[in-house]
Amino acid sequence: MYWTNFYNPRNPLSDIGRIQRDLHRLFNEYYPETQRAFPAVNIWTKDDSAVVTAELPGFTKKDVKLSVVDQDVIIEGEPVSEKRNEKEHYHRRERSRSMFKRSIHLPFPIDASKVDARLNNGVLVMSLPRAEEDKPKKIEIQA
Amino acid sequence: MAEKKSIQKQESQAIEQSERIRSGKVFLPATDIIETDNEIIIRADMPGVNEKAIDITLDNKVLTIQGCVDQDTPGDYQLAYSEYETGDYLRKFTLSDAIEQEKINARYKEGVLEVTLPKAEKMKARQITVTSE
């Protein structure tokens, strides 16, 4: 049979992995857009807190909603429409102006009451302290 | 540990013949260009730029928009995951004659630069009626 040439009896799943990789590559080539989650984020961490930054040009703080659920931060937003005129005509339209919702998983649970978020010049910076009960406890050896 | 995903921003390539003094990457800001009856509006996404670090020049019909980003990485944190890079912005557009160059107006708000270029009077669309004899 044709496929037996490729079939590896020691690891029958390797074929599936290969197919998945090939498909992934194919889709990435033709539809790179589908891989993009909006907004793009950077995550910075240290032992007891994390900083998440995202670029949200054109969004005001009223347009963006943030929530924290245990280990996840959810960013969602809807842009206010820029004034539209019936007679206007677009030569280029490269900026994304759509609704978004994105959840970001962090390495530790967050103390939601101590989160600090700022949106300045289109950049969102959230500082997310690790929940007190999740922090490692130092244990003294008694004897 | 830092994982990298595809970079969303497009890097500005060979846009300048001369090299820049400032190191770091330069990106092409995503831009909308809108034309109305009286003006052309350019809206460019330039997040992370301070208003004062924006430079707009018009030289020989070439409009250059430039913005320098303050690279402030949070204190003693480690970058754990990265989807975008930060850098300066630079983009050039060649304008047609039809612009009232003295009346160009620019403002920066929430990371978006908006440049309004009023059309010159003589180029505004005029209705011409055909009359029959």
Side-chain angles (χ1 to χ4, degrees):
Chain A
M1 247 200 284
Y2 173 73
W3 58 270
T4 52
N5 293 341
F6 300 99
Y7 185 69
N8 177 356
R10 272 171 299 176
N11 185 3
L13 290 175
S14 72
D15 273 4
I16 294 172
R18 187 175 51 82
I19 291 166
Q20 195 181 24
R21 259 196 321 277
D22 285 354
L23 279 174
H24 203 73
R25 205 179 51 218
L26 194 78
F27 277 97
N28 269 338
E29 247 169 64
Y30 292 101
Y31 304 101
E33 312 282 323
T34 56
Q35 284 295 303
R36 295 177 176 182
F38 185 87
V41 296
N42 281 350
I43 305 174
W44 306 76
T45 55
K46 64 179 182 185
D47 285 348
D48 56 1
S49 66
V51 171
V52 173
T53 61
E55 293 190 327
L56 290 167
F59 288 84
T60 64
K61 66 178 188 185
K62 275 182 274 168
D63 309 331
V64 181
K65 217 170 87 191
L66 302 171
S67 42
V68 173
V69 184
D70 196 34
Q71 266 181 264
D72 298 287
V73 185
I74 298 149
I75 310 177
E76 53 190 308
E78 196 176 343
V80 281
S81 59
E82 278 161 353
K83 61 171 186 218
R84 282 199 57 88
N85 184 326
E86 297 205 348
K87 282 181 181 164
E88 68 183 29
H89 152 78
Y90 276 83
H91 290 292
R92 290 173 196 229
R93 200 163 199 168
E94 299 167 354
R95 300 167 56 233
S96 67
R97 301 283 301 163
S98 52
M99 254 174 82
F100 66 87
K101 183 170 183 175
R102 185 163 184 198
S103 138
I104 295 141
H105 191 71
L106 293 167
F108 39 72
I110 302 303
D111 183 347
S113 62
K114 288 187 188 148
V115 172
D116 178 77
R118 276 153 212 279
L119 184 57
N120 258 327
N121 292 334
V123 180
L124 175 72
V125 179
M126 278 179 287
S127 75
L128 306 146
R130 186 170 181 172
E132 206 54 56
E133 59 274 18
D134 187 63
K135 285 184 186 167
K137 306 272 179 315
K138 202 171 166 188
I139 292 152
E140 296 292 333
I141 299 169
Q142 296 301 325
Chain B
M1 148 119 188
E3 196 183 329
K4 272 219 164 136
K5 268 189 132 187
S6 67
I7 294 143
Q8 305 201 345
K9 289 185 196 166
Q10 202 186 347
E11 218 178 324
S12 165
Q13 281 165 345
I15 204 159
E16 277 180 312
Q17 269 83 44
S18 55
E19 269 183 67
R20 291 156 42 88
I21 289 174
R22 231 169 105 97
S23 67
K25 294 200 167 173
V26 185
F27 296 97
L28 279 181
T31 304
D32 286 353
I33 301 180
I34 305 140
E35 184 169 352
T36 67
D37 286 349
N38 302 318
E39 55 200 15
I40 290 170
I41 301 160
I42 295 178
R43 276 196 201 115
D45 280 349
M46 296 164 83
V49 171
N50 188 298
E51 196 180 294
K52 293 185 189 85
I54 295 176
D55 218 16
I56 303 166
T57 51
L58 182 64
D59 182 22
N60 246 335
K61 290 185 199 166
V62 177
L63 178 79
T64 307
I65 53 181
Q66 209 174 156
C68 292
V69 163
D70 304 324
Q71 298 274 16
D72 51 342
T73 49
D76 49 346
Y77 286 84
Q78 290 275 318
L79 182 62
Y81 173 80
S82 168
E83 286 178 348
Y84 71 90
E85 291 181 275
T86 50
D88 297 344
Y89 299 94
L90 176 64
R91 198 155 179 181
K92 295 184 181 191
F93 296 99
T94 306
L95 306 179
S96 67
D97 253 340
I99 300 300
E100 198 92 55
Q101 304 200 338
E102 270 72 64
K103 290 185 189 155
I104 295 174
N105 172 24
R107 62 193 190 104
Y108 181 74
K109 213 177 142 198
E110 279 115 28
V112 183
L113 175 71
E114 185 175 294
V115 186
T116 309
L117 311 154
K119 287 188 192 172
E121 202 59 45
K122 60 172 187 207
M123 289 304 292
K124 279 183 196 165
R126 235 167 302 162
Q127 186 99 34
I128 296 158
T129 45
V130 180
T131 49
S132 63
E133 294 201 352

